[in-house]
Amino acid sequence: MTPGARVQAAIEILDEILEGKPAEQALTTWARRSRFAGSKDRAAIRDHVFDALRGRRSLAALGGAATGRGLMIGLVRAQGGDVDGLFSGAGHAPEPITEAERATAHDPASGAEAADIPDWLWPRFQAALGARAEEAGRIMQTRAPLHLRANLLRTDRAGAIAALAADGITAVTHPACETALEVTEGARQLARSQAYLDGLVELQDAASQAIVARLPLRPGARVLDYCAGGGGKTLALAARMQGEVLAHDAAPQRMRDLPERAARAGAKVRLLATEGLDREAPFDLVLTDVPCSGSGSWRRAPDGKWALSPERLADLGRIQRAILQRAAELVAADGVLAYATCSMLHDENGDVVADFLAEHTDWRLSNQEHWTVLDGTDGFFLAVLTRVGVR
């Protein structure tokens, strides 16, 4: 495919997403009906689509319209590309830019538009990030770095770097915690690398790793990952515990790949159904990585930013509070309750914890930390809770 044809394909996919189709579904559907596209074509088109979604609002301004075509015009302009060369109408390229399109294009206004944040969300975003809110928004217009976790059950960070190098992948240490790595070259080779296949490394954001590193784990403790999902934190817990971790999720299908991942990592993980929670309780530590807006990871899933609404945020708050309440019932008298999100919003972080503590005076906040995209990671939040008067 020519560069112009790739742009046209991205326009068509973006129009489907703007009409409500999930991004991954739209990309998969296009690929299935476009067998002529090679792997490099599909990768380039995917990059176009996600770059456009990350900057959907500012690029619509630069391109003169909130359409797939407008976003791609804006993206080419933002990247300093040859707009008229790519929009030529030749060889399946998009039709040339019209005078009307040139007249409506403008630089994005400072604030919410420049930062690519919906207007209703902008005050909340500012409250969380302060004077650096627009800077954070601009960072979220870019692709997220690829982070890996050195699996302590198989190797250390130096060993992981060496093994990756043997596979042609360059990784450097990340300051978030002692297991965190950032891939700087060769990212597309990772899934086929021996270091990955042998379980020496796992894909996991550095701040997500740091959450597990900050938990007060002790040998022999009974640990439950209450909202395990795909199991990234479960595996990180098992590596640090050097022992068994129990994993639970309200939607068990999310954990379907966890046994295979655990086997590759050499981790001891036991899946626990909801009906077995009370039977297995109490636990020394319960981690609740609750469902949230995902605002800390919108670089990776940018369509989530535009799908979020005030009503959905309120619904998530109710879910988060209910999970925290239920998880507290499973913690031993001298145990630890950890609350985590991949959000940067106070609504889902400190506000939820404050409400819990106001209603449960026998609990106290032992530690609270947060990471944002300004730290070179995804945005995450952690609160560690213990009972009052128990050491």
Side-chain angles (χ1 to χ4, degrees):
M1 296 177 69
T2 65
R6 290 173 174 175
V7 169
Q8 178 59 36
I11 289 172
E12 295 168 8
I13 295 166
L14 284 165
D15 281 335
E16 292 187 356
I17 295 169
L18 293 172
E19 290 174 2
K21 183 175 284 189
E24 292 292 350
Q25 183 182 342
L27 284 160
T28 300
T29 301
W30 181 87
R32 286 175 177 166
R33 69 171 182 256
S34 307
R35 302 294 184 182
F36 56 84
S39 59
K40 291 184 178 179
D41 294 321
R42 293 194 299 272
I45 291 164
R46 182 184 182 83
D47 287 346
H48 284 337
V49 167
F50 276 92
D51 286 346
L53 290 174
R54 290 184 193 98
R56 174 173 157 178
R57 192 170 181 194
S58 61
L59 296 179
L62 282 172
T67 61
R69 179 178 170 89
L71 294 183
M72 286 308 300
I73 293 172
L75 180 62
V76 174
R77 284 177 172 155
Q79 294 178 342
D82 180 5
V83 178
D84 291 319
L86 287 170
F87 287 74
S88 65
H92 304 289
E95 291 302 309
I97 308 297
T98 66
E99 290 306 314
E101 286 173 324
R102 295 184 197 278
T104 55
H106 61 276
D107 289 335
S110 61
E113 187 172 66
D116 277 297
I117 302 295
D119 282 333
W120 73 268
L121 189 58
W122 182 237
R124 290 175 164 91
F125 200 73
Q126 286 181 301
L129 291 147
R132 301 184 72 184
E134 189 166 328
E135 179 186 355
R138 290 185 183 278
I139 290 173
M140 292 167 66
Q141 294 166 347
T142 65
R143 300 176 196 178
L146 177 63
H147 292 164
L148 302 175
R149 175 176 57 80
N151 178 14
L152 298 177
L153 293 170
R154 301 283 197 210
T155 187
D156 57 14
R157 194 155 58 171
I161 290 173
L164 289 164
D167 292 324
I169 300 167
T170 303
V172 296
T173 60
H174 191 285
C177 68
E178 65 177 3
T179 57
L181 299 168
E182 182 167 333
V183 175
T184 57
E185 291 183 38
R188 294 192 187 276
Q189 303 171 51
L190 179 66
R192 300 185 301 274
S193 71
Q194 205 60 46
Y196 177 76
L197 296 173
D198 289 345
L200 274 64
V201 293
E202 287 281 344
L203 283 162
Q204 189 174 17
D205 180 77
S208 179
Q209 299 177 50
I211 282 180
V212 175
R214 301 301 196 276
L215 297 177
L217 301 171
R218 61 177 188 267
R222 301 188 73 245
V223 175
L224 171 67
D225 187 354
Y226 184 83
C227 306
K233 291 184 181 66
T234 308
L235 296 176
L237 283 164
R240 289 190 174 274
M241 288 287 298
Q242 303 282 311
E244 184 183 68
V245 172
L246 281 79
H248 163 270
D249 198 280
Q253 66 273 18
R254 295 177 187 147
M255 301 188 293
R256 62 182 177 272
D257 297 329
L258 183 50
E260 180 181 344
R261 293 180 65 192
R264 185 178 68 234
K268 296 178 182 178
V269 173
R270 178 157 60 97
L271 305 189
L272 186 58
T274 299
E275 56 269 23
L277 287 170
D278 290 316
R279 185 171 60 251
E280 292 283 349
F283 299 94
D284 298 305
L285 185 144
V286 176
L287 170 63
T288 60
D289 182 11
V290 298
C292 69
S293 66
S295 60
S297 56
W298 277 341
R299 286 184 292 181
R300 304 179 193 279
D303 45 342
K305 173 166 56 175
W306 310 109
L308 186 67
S309 66
E311 295 76 20
R312 177 56 180 160
L313 188 60
D315 286 342
L316 286 166
R318 287 188 283 270
I319 292 168
Q320 291 153 2
R321 287 166 173 81
I323 289 174
L324 199 51
Q325 167 64 42
R326 173 59 179 137
E329 299 168 357
L330 302 172
V331 181
D334 60 346
V336 173
L337 175 60
Y339 175 83
T341 75
C342 57
S343 173
M344 296 184 290
L345 304 176
H346 291 326
D347 305 61
E348 304 180 278
N349 296 337
D351 291 355
V352 173
V353 173
D355 287 350
F356 176 83
L357 293 174
E359 296 173 5
H360 300 81
T361 56
D362 55 331
W363 287 85
R364 66 181 176 87
L365 180 65
S366 296
N367 185 35
Q368 181 171 293
E369 297 191 50
H370 62 88
W371 297 260
T372 76
V373 294
L374 297 162
D375 299 309
T377 67
D378 284 354
F380 274 90
F381 172 84
L382 170 67
V384 177
L385 306 173
T386 55
R387 285 192 173 87
V388 174
V390 178
R391 294 183 180 276

